[in-house]
Amino acid sequence: MKITKFIPNTLTLFNLLSGLIAIICVFNNFYDHAFIFVCLGIFFDFWDGFLARKLDAQSPIGLQLDSLADMVTSGVVPGVMLYKLFDTIQQNQPEYMLTEETFYMGVVPYLGLLIPLASCYRLANFNIDTRQTNSFIGLPTPANALFIMSIPMIQYVDNYQWLTDALDNPYVLLGITLLSTYLLNAEIPLFALKFKTFSWKEAKLQISFLIVALALLLMLNFVAIPLIILVYISLSVVVNRFQKSN
C-alpha cells in the first residue's frame, strides 16, 4: 500500500491531538493557547479531507476517524470552554451573593456541556444524511467551535469594553449556548467550506466568503469571528433562496 494512503488519517489524528491539548489548556486557563490549538485542529481537519480526495485515499475508517476527532476538537473543547467561562463568573461572585443565586450559578456551568451533546448528534447525523454530501444542514461543528472559542479572545481586546462586559454576563453566555445548540442541528442549508478544487469557477462562493472573512479579521480582530459566522449563515440563506427561485 502506498504511504500516501496514510497521510489523510495522520492529519486527522493530529486534529484529535490538537483538541486534546486544547482541553488541557482550557482547564489550566490558557484560553489563548486553547484557541490556537482549536484553530490548528480545524486546519488539519480541512486538509485531511482535501488530501483524501486528491490522493484517492478516502476510506470508511477515515470517515469515522474524522468524526471522532471533530467531536473532541470542535465538540468537547467548546463545551469545556463554556463550562469554564460560566465557572469563572461564579468564582468572581461577591461573598454577599444570595445562596439561591450561588446555587443556580453552580448548576448553570454544566449547561455548557449541551454543546458536546449537540455536536455529537450533528456529527452522527452528518455521517448518515445523504443530503449533506456537497453542503451542510445546520452549522458545522468547526464553525461553532471557532465562535465559542473566540469569546475569551474578544475579552482580551480593549477597544470593545461594552462587548467584554456583555460576555461576562451569564445570561448572555446562556443565550449563546442555547443558540449554538440549536444552530448545530437546525434545518438550515449552508454551503460547504471545504474545497474540492481551488478553481474560481467551481469555488467562487467559498473563495469570496474567505476574502470577506479575512477582511473582517484584519479590521476587527477577534471580534470579527462571530460576525463571520453570521455572514456565513446569512450568505447561505440568500444563496439557497436565489437557487430555489431559479
Side-chain angles (χ1 to χ4, degrees):
M1 181 180 291
K2 295 181 179 179
I3 193 170
T4 54
K5 296 287 185 180
F6 295 100
I7 294 176
N9 289 346
T10 301
L11 291 180
T12 304
L13 291 176
F14 278 131
N15 175 13
L16 175 59
L17 178 62
S18 299
L20 293 172
I21 296 174
I23 292 174
I24 296 172
C25 291
V26 171
F27 276 114
N28 285 282
N29 300 320
F30 298 137
Y31 297 157
D32 50 347
H33 293 89
F35 178 84
I36 292 171
F37 277 105
V38 167
C39 290
L40 188 61
I42 293 173
F43 173 82
F44 289 130
D45 181 45
F46 172 85
W47 284 105
D48 65 0
F50 181 82
L51 290 177
R53 291 185 291 270
K54 289 297 181 181
L55 299 174
D56 192 25
Q58 293 173 297
S59 65
I61 190 172
L63 176 65
Q64 299 305 319
L65 280 175
D66 188 70
S67 293
L68 292 171
D70 282 350
M71 178 58 207
V72 175
T73 304
S74 299
V76 175
V77 178
V80 172
M81 175 62 79
L82 279 171
Y83 171 86
K84 285 289 290 182
L85 292 175
F86 277 122
D87 188 60
T88 299
I89 294 174
Q90 177 191 359
Q91 297 299 326
N92 292 334
Q93 285 182 340
E95 295 182 0
Y96 58 78
M97 288 289 288
L98 297 175
T99 304
E100 182 180 3
E101 293 184 40
T102 303
F103 168 76
Y104 283 120
M105 275 308 301
V107 173
V108 166
Y110 291 95
L111 294 178
L113 301 182
L114 288 172
I115 299 300
L117 297 181
S119 298
C120 182
Y121 187 87
R122 175 190 164 63
L123 290 167
N125 187 50
F126 177 81
N127 288 343
I128 63 173
D129 191 344
T130 57
R131 299 174 300 167
Q132 300 192 57
T133 53
N134 296 313
S135 61
F136 297 119
I137 305 294
L139 188 64
T141 53
N144 186 65
L146 284 176
F147 175 39
I148 293 174
M149 298 302 292
S150 70
I151 294 174
M153 305 306 296
I154 291 173
Q155 293 174 325
Y156 293 150
V157 180
D158 296 330
N159 297 336
Y160 301 92
Q161 187 61 45
W162 63 272
L163 188 54
T164 299
D165 293 339
L167 293 174
D168 277 332
N169 188 314
Y171 295 104
V172 172
L173 289 181
L174 181 58
I176 291 174
T177 303
L178 297 178
L179 178 62
S180 295
T181 301
Y182 166 74
L183 289 176
L184 283 167
N185 293 284
E187 287 288 318
I188 305 175
L190 304 172
F191 64 87
L193 293 171
K194 293 185 178 181
F195 291 80
K196 291 185 178 181
T197 174
F198 287 104
S199 167
W200 169 257
K201 181 178 179 180
E202 297 183 18
K204 57 185 176 182
L205 178 60
Q206 289 84 353
I207 295 173
S208 298
F209 170 75
L210 290 179
I211 292 173
V212 172
L214 180 60
L216 286 172
L217 283 171
L218 292 174
M219 290 187 296
L220 300 175
N221 208 312
F222 295 108
V223 177
I225 295 178
L227 292 177
I228 291 171
I229 303 301
L230 180 61
V231 169
Y232 172 52
I233 296 173
S234 302
L235 185 58
S236 295
V237 171
V238 171
V239 169
N240 287 322
R241 288 187 177 180
F242 177 77
Q243 291 175 343
K244 286 182 180 180
S245 66
N246 291 339

